[in-house]
Amino acid sequence: MSIDPATLPGVVLDDSQAELTGTWDRSSSFKPHVGRGYLHDNRRGDGQSTAVFRVKLSKTGRYDVRMAYSPHATRATKVPVIIKSGGAETRLTVDETQPLDPGGAFRSVGQVDLTGDGTQETTITISNTQTEGFVILDAIQLLEASKK
């Protein structure tokens, strides 16, 4: 099953929108996936494969960062994610062996404060630096976090 990113809430950044460096292999074997498939680093773990997502948000606030990937025992457990927004940097580590949120194609990996006024750029960088196992790159979803 392929999920059309346009049907999802919030800001969805598909792997096809990422600026890639290094070697990434394309696949669509595991379902569901967002868009036409996903990328993986073929267990290289060499720090040479990076993907940078760039987005200009219209609103400043706290966002739930969600990742789409296909969970499996062969996946990397310490995928580095670096988010830069408004001069601040947030570092997350994602365990892609963990199941996705029930009934969905994404899993919440953390909440971050992001700057948005339509002109400032937020970058989200995913790499295979010091990883063991497959790094899966499918999609990122940013949802405004509920205010408590």
Side-chain angles (χ1 to χ4, degrees), residues 62-65 90 92 108-113 143 145-146 148:
R62 190 150 188 84
Y63 286 82
D64 187 22
V65 179
T90 303
L92 303 172
S108 176
V109 297
Q111 290 193 354
V112 294
D113 292 319
L143 293 174
S146 8
K148 295 183 179 176

Side-chain angles (χ1 to χ4, degrees), residues 2 14-18 20 22-30 33-42 44 51 53 134-139:
S2 174
D14 189 29
D15 62 85
S16 62
Q17 297 170 268
L20 305 174
T23 304
W24 291 95
D25 297 330
R26 178 156 293 285
S27 181
S28 58
S29 301
F30 285 86
H33 54 73
V34 176
R36 296 192 323 229
Y38 55 90
L39 302 172
H40 65 83
D41 77 331
N42 208 20
R44 286 181 194 91
F53 294 92
F134 287 92
V135 173
I136 303 296
L137 179 67
D138 188 359

